[in-house]
Amino acid sequence: EYRKKGISKHLISLLINSHSEHNIFATTKVESMCHILENIGFKRIGNSYNNSQKETLILFGYKNNTI
């Protein structure tokens, strides 16, 4: 199991640092990932929606201000 080992936070930080000229979007259905994204600086945007499996996905955006 890979949960609760800090891997996602590390990967997201690498993504943000390597794409500093772009805004980044993410979706998740996992509440713990919502907290991770928000702690890193992502904001909930738009409305939640259902995917093809009828699972509710939450959309996040990160505005990269490092340019």
Side-chain angles (χ1 to χ4, degrees), residues 27-58:
T27 58
T28 185
K29 63 181 182 179
V30 180
E31 191 61 36
S32 59
M33 182 55 93
C34 292
H35 295 296
I36 292 168
L37 290 169
E38 289 170 336
N39 287 339
I40 290 174
F42 281 78
K43 304 288 184 209
R44 290 182 192 224
I45 58 175
N47 297 318
S48 301
Y49 62 94
N50 291 331
N51 64 12
S52 58
Q53 288 82 33
K54 307 290 188 217
E55 299 166 318
T56 301
L57 295 176
I58 303 166

Side-chain angles (χ1 to χ4, degrees), residues 8 10 31 51 53 59 65:
S8 60
H10 179 71
E31 191 61 36
N51 64 12
Q53 288 82 33
L59 177 62
N65 294 318

Side-chain angles (χ1 to χ4, degrees), residues 2-15:
Y2 296 104
R3 293 184 186 201
K4 298 189 181 202
K5 296 189 180 195
I7 296 170
S8 60
K9 185 175 180 179
H10 179 71
L11 290 174
I12 294 166
S13 294
L14 288 173
L15 176 69

